[in-house]
């Protein structure tokens, strides 16, 4: 159980770290340039999505769908809270400095990036037949084929 929570914490910290790096790049490199800031933000969402593609691919091979989806959702929720509430404070802004529209847009974009990344990772994993369920069914079929047939006498 401790490993499970550690994995959730590491994933949440990694997702938050990507956000912190993007905020620092915007703050120190592109302070007044909204176009560049939007591009850095887009890059941040792409990196977050790619991280979750990898997480879905690795965790989906090792554990049943319900277990790793719950862990991923917990990590994303923790990282989202850190990103929208603590992230702006690191660069001297208020979480609500851009208004409610910006605040909620950030939440929706974050959830979209994480959802799409997780979905792509799981779909690729399933298409390759490497997910936990496919592997379990494969082992079951091999075990059934290995047993000799019982002879039924009349």
């Amino acid at each position: 159980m401790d490993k499970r929570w550690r994995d959730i914490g590491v994933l949440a910290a990694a997702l938050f770290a990507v956000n912190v790096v993007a905020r620092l790049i915007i703050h120190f490199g592109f302070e007044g340039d909204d176009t560049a800031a939007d591009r850095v933000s887009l890059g941040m969402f792409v990196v977050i999505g790619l991280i979750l593609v990898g997480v879905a691919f690795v965790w989906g091979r090792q554990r049943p769908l319900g277990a790793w989806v719950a862990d991923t959702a917990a990590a994303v929720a923790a990282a989202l809270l850190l990103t929208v509430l603590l992230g702006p404070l690191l660069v001297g802004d208020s979480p609500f400095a851009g208004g409610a529209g910006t605040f909620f847009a950030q939440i929706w974009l974050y959830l979209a990036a994480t959802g799409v990344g997780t979905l792509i990772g799981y779909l690729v994993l399933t298409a390759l037949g490497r997910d936990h369920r496919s592997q379990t069914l494969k082992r079951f079929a091999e075990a059934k084929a290995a047993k000799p047939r019982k002879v039924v006498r009349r």
Side-chain angles (χ1 to χ4, degrees):
M1 191 62 139
D2 291 334
K3 182 184 180 313
R4 186 175 181 183
W5 285 108
R6 186 191 65 211
D7 290 346
I8 292 169
V10 167
L11 178 58
L15 295 175
F16 180 61
V18 170
N19 180 265
V20 169
V21 168
R23 285 185 189 274
L24 292 175
I25 289 171
I26 291 169
H27 182 71
F28 291 117
F30 307 106
E31 183 66 34
D33 190 359
D34 287 342
T35 304
D38 289 344
R39 288 182 182 152
V40 172
S41 295
L42 178 63
M44 175 197 70
F45 288 123
V46 168
V47 169
I48 287 172
L50 289 174
I51 289 172
L52 285 166
V53 165
V55 166
F57 198 85
V58 172
W59 286 3
R61 292 182 74 172
Q62 301 168 350
R63 299 187 264 175
L65 179 66
W68 71 263
V69 167
D71 292 353
T72 304
V76 166
L80 177 62
L81 286 173
L82 289 171
T83 296
V84 297
L85 298 176
L86 184 62
L89 298 175
L90 295 175
V91 293
D93 291 336
S94 166
F96 303 103
T102 302
F103 180 79
F104 289 111
Q106 184 177 6
I107 291 172
W108 291 119
L109 286 171
Y110 198 91
L111 291 175
T114 56
V116 167
T118 303
L119 184 63
I120 288 173
Y122 186 66
L123 289 176
V124 169
L125 183 67
T126 304
L128 294 175
R130 302 281 187 194
D131 61 315
H132 186 268
R133 183 169 186 259
S134 296
Q135 293 300 311
T136 303
L137 291 172
K138 180 182 172 186
R139 285 190 297 273
F140 176 76
E142 289 170 352
K144 281 300 218 181
K147 291 182 184 177
R149 296 184 70 167
K150 291 183 181 180
V151 177
V152 179
R153 295 181 189 220
R154 290 185 180 197

